[in-house]
PDB file of all heavy atoms in Angstrom:
ATOM      1  N   ASP A 302      84.209 126.277 120.833  1.00  0.00           N
ATOM      2  CA  ASP A 302      83.318 127.411 121.094  1.00  0.00           C
ATOM      3  C   ASP A 302      82.333 127.025 122.201  1.00  0.00           C
ATOM      4  O   ASP A 302      81.244 126.502 121.940  1.00  0.00           O
ATOM      5  CB  ASP A 302      82.587 127.793 119.810  1.00  0.00           C
ATOM      6  CG  ASP A 302      81.861 129.122 119.973  1.00  0.00           C
ATOM      7  OD1 ASP A 302      81.576 129.519 121.137  1.00  0.00           O
ATOM      8  OD2 ASP A 302      81.572 129.765 118.955  1.00  0.00           O
ATOM      9  N   ILE A 303      82.736 127.307 123.401  1.00  0.00           N
ATOM     10  CA  ILE A 303      81.965 126.856 124.568  1.00  0.00           C
ATOM     11  C   ILE A 303      80.701 127.690 124.743  1.00  0.00           C
ATOM     12  O   ILE A 303      79.638 127.172 125.129  1.00  0.00           O
ATOM     13  CB  ILE A 303      82.878 126.859 125.821  1.00  0.00           C
ATOM     14  CG1 ILE A 303      83.886 125.699 125.691  1.00  0.00           C
ATOM     15  CG2 ILE A 303      82.077 126.751 127.104  1.00  0.00           C
ATOM     16  CD1 ILE A 303      84.922 125.630 126.783  1.00  0.00           C
ATOM     17  N   ASP A 304      80.773 128.980 124.437  1.00  0.00           N
ATOM     18  CA  ASP A 304      79.550 129.803 124.508  1.00  0.00           C
ATOM     19  C   ASP A 304      78.470 129.214 123.612  1.00  0.00           C
ATOM     20  O   ASP A 304      77.307 129.064 124.011  1.00  0.00           O
ATOM     21  CB  ASP A 304      79.851 131.240 124.057  1.00  0.00           C
ATOM     22  CG  ASP A 304      80.735 131.971 125.055  1.00  0.00           C
ATOM     23  OD1 ASP A 304      80.584 131.725 126.274  1.00  0.00           O
ATOM     24  OD2 ASP A 304      81.570 132.772 124.625  1.00  0.00           O
ATOM     25  N   GLN A 305      78.876 128.890 122.402  1.00  0.00           N
ATOM     26  CA  GLN A 305      77.905 128.400 121.423  1.00  0.00           C
ATOM     27  C   GLN A 305      77.310 127.068 121.858  1.00  0.00           C
ATOM     28  O   GLN A 305      76.091 126.863 121.796  1.00  0.00           O
ATOM     29  CB  GLN A 305      78.600 128.250 120.065  1.00  0.00           C
ATOM     30  CG  GLN A 305      77.663 127.941 118.912  1.00  0.00           C
ATOM     31  CD  GLN A 305      76.700 129.077 118.659  1.00  0.00           C
ATOM     32  OE1 GLN A 305      77.101 130.217 118.466  1.00  0.00           O
ATOM     33  NE2 GLN A 305      75.401 128.788 118.688  1.00  0.00           N
ATOM     34  N   VAL A 306      78.135 126.197 122.348  1.00  0.00           N
ATOM     35  CA  VAL A 306      77.625 124.873 122.707  1.00  0.00           C
ATOM     36  C   VAL A 306      76.681 124.964 123.909  1.00  0.00           C
ATOM     37  O   VAL A 306      75.672 124.242 123.981  1.00  0.00           O
ATOM     38  CB  VAL A 306      78.782 123.871 122.941  1.00  0.00           C
ATOM     39  CG1 VAL A 306      79.441 124.038 124.291  1.00  0.00           C
ATOM     40  CG2 VAL A 306      78.297 122.439 122.783  1.00  0.00           C
ATOM     41  N   LEU A 307      76.967 125.886 124.821  1.00  0.00           N
ATOM     42  CA  LEU A 307      76.070 126.046 125.976  1.00  0.00           C
ATOM     43  C   LEU A 307      74.737 126.643 125.517  1.00  0.00           C
ATOM     44  O   LEU A 307      73.662 126.199 125.952  1.00  0.00           O
ATOM     45  CB  LEU A 307      76.729 126.921 127.038  1.00  0.00           C
ATOM     46  CG  LEU A 307      77.960 126.314 127.743  1.00  0.00           C
ATOM     47  CD1 LEU A 307      78.608 127.344 128.683  1.00  0.00           C
ATOM     48  CD2 LEU A 307      77.582 125.051 128.523  1.00  0.00           C
ATOM     49  N   GLU A 308      74.813 127.642 124.652  1.00  0.00           N
ATOM     50  CA  GLU A 308      73.583 128.224 124.098  1.00  0.00           C
ATOM     51  C   GLU A 308      72.756 127.153 123.381  1.00  0.00           C
ATOM     52  O   GLU A 308      71.538 127.064 123.551  1.00  0.00           O
ATOM     53  CB  GLU A 308      73.921 129.337 123.090  1.00  0.00           C
ATOM     54  CG  GLU A 308      74.517 130.599 123.684  1.00  0.00           C
ATOM     55  CD  GLU A 308      73.463 131.526 124.316  1.00  0.00           C
ATOM     56  OE1 GLU A 308      72.275 131.134 124.369  1.00  0.00           O
ATOM     57  OE2 GLU A 308      73.851 132.619 124.772  1.00  0.00           O
ATOM     58  N   ASP A 309      73.434 126.353 122.586  1.00  0.00           N
ATOM     59  CA  ASP A 309      72.744 125.323 121.811  1.00  0.00           C
ATOM     60  C   ASP A 309      72.109 124.274 122.721  1.00  0.00           C
ATOM     61  O   ASP A 309      71.004 123.784 122.447  1.00  0.00           O
ATOM     62  CB  ASP A 309      73.717 124.649 120.836  1.00  0.00           C
ATOM     63  CG  ASP A 309      74.118 125.581 119.701  1.00  0.00           C
ATOM     64  OD1 ASP A 309      73.472 126.652 119.548  1.00  0.00           O
ATOM     65  OD2 ASP A 309      75.070 125.252 118.977  1.00  0.00           O
ATOM     66  N   LEU A 310      72.834 123.943 123.797  1.00  0.00           N
ATOM     67  CA  LEU A 310      72.268 122.971 124.751  1.00  0.00           C
ATOM     68  C   LEU A 310      70.975 123.517 125.350  1.00  0.00           C
ATOM     69  O   LEU A 310      69.972 122.811 125.449  1.00  0.00           O
ATOM     70  CB  LEU A 310      73.256 122.696 125.885  1.00  0.00           C
ATOM     71  CG  LEU A 310      74.286 121.582 125.736  1.00  0.00           C
ATOM     72  CD1 LEU A 310      75.064 121.437 127.039  1.00  0.00           C
ATOM     73  CD2 LEU A 310      73.620 120.247 125.369  1.00  0.00           C
ATOM     74  N   LEU A 311      71.051 124.799 125.741  1.00  0.00           N
ATOM     75  CA  LEU A 311      69.880 125.407 126.381  1.00  0.00           C
ATOM     76  C   LEU A 311      68.699 125.441 125.416  1.00  0.00           C
ATOM     77  O   LEU A 311      67.565 125.094 125.780  1.00  0.00           O
ATOM     78  CB  LEU A 311      70.235 126.828 126.839  1.00  0.00           C
ATOM     79  CG  LEU A 311      69.297 127.438 127.867  1.00  0.00           C
ATOM     80  CD1 LEU A 311      69.441 126.729 129.204  1.00  0.00           C
ATOM     81  CD2 LEU A 311      69.573 128.927 128.030  1.00  0.00           C
ATOM     82  N   GLN A 312      69.007 125.824 124.189  1.00  0.00           N
ATOM     83  CA  GLN A 312      67.973 125.822 123.151  1.00  0.00           C
ATOM     84  C   GLN A 312      67.420 124.409 122.963  1.00  0.00           C
ATOM     85  O   GLN A 312      66.201 124.197 122.906  1.00  0.00           O
ATOM     86  CB  GLN A 312      68.571 126.292 121.812  1.00  0.00           C
ATOM     87  CG  GLN A 312      68.973 127.745 121.765  1.00  0.00           C
ATOM     88  CD  GLN A 312      67.809 128.668 121.420  1.00  0.00           C
ATOM     89  OE1 GLN A 312      66.739 128.199 121.018  1.00  0.00           O
ATOM     90  NE2 GLN A 312      68.000 129.962 121.624  1.00  0.00           N
ATOM     91  N   GLY A 313      68.318 123.464 122.849  1.00  0.00           N
ATOM     92  CA  GLY A 313      67.912 122.084 122.592  1.00  0.00           C
ATOM     93  C   GLY A 313      67.049 121.524 123.707  1.00  0.00           C
ATOM     94  O   GLY A 313      66.184 120.673 123.479  1.00  0.00           O
ATOM     95  N   LEU A 314      67.283 122.001 124.902  1.00  0.00           N
ATOM     96  CA  LEU A 314      66.473 121.562 126.051  1.00  0.00           C
ATOM     97  C   LEU A 314      65.160 122.328 126.121  1.00  0.00           C
ATOM     98  O   LEU A 314      64.338 122.057 127.003  1.00  0.00           O
ATOM     99  CB  LEU A 314      67.256 121.773 127.356  1.00  0.00           C
ATOM    100  CG  LEU A 314      68.460 120.859 127.581  1.00  0.00           C
ATOM    101  CD1 LEU A 314      69.327 121.377 128.733  1.00  0.00           C
ATOM    102  CD2 LEU A 314      68.011 119.413 127.857  1.00  0.00           C
ATOM    103  N   GLY A 315      64.991 123.261 125.201  1.00  0.00           N
ATOM    104  CA  GLY A 315      63.769 124.081 125.212  1.00  0.00           C
ATOM    105  C   GLY A 315      63.629 124.871 126.499  1.00  0.00           C
ATOM    106  O   GLY A 315      62.540 124.993 127.063  1.00  0.00           O
ATOM    107  N   ALA A 316      64.751 125.386 126.982  1.00  0.00           N
ATOM    108  CA  ALA A 316      64.759 125.923 128.349  1.00  0.00           C
ATOM    109  C   ALA A 316      65.198 127.368 128.393  1.00  0.00           C
ATOM    110  O   ALA A 316      65.768 127.808 129.394  1.00  0.00           O
ATOM    111  CB  ALA A 316      65.683 125.063 129.214  1.00  0.00           C
ATOM    112  N   VAL A 317      64.945 128.118 127.332  1.00  0.00           N
ATOM    113  CA  VAL A 317      65.431 129.503 127.333  1.00  0.00           C
ATOM    114  C   VAL A 317      64.777 130.330 128.436  1.00  0.00           C
ATOM    115  O   VAL A 317      65.284 131.382 128.816  1.00  0.00           O
ATOM    116  CB  VAL A 317      65.215 130.179 125.951  1.00  0.00           C
ATOM    117  CG1 VAL A 317      66.156 129.567 124.921  1.00  0.00           C
ATOM    118  CG2 VAL A 317      63.771 130.055 125.517  1.00  0.00           C
TER     119      VAL A 317
END
Side-chain angles (χ1 to χ4, degrees):
Chain A
D302 191 338
I303 288 175
D304 291 325
Q305 188 64 54
V306 78
L307 292 174
E308 291 281 5
D309 289 348
L310 271 185
L311 197 69
Q312 292 275 349
L314 290 167
V317 290

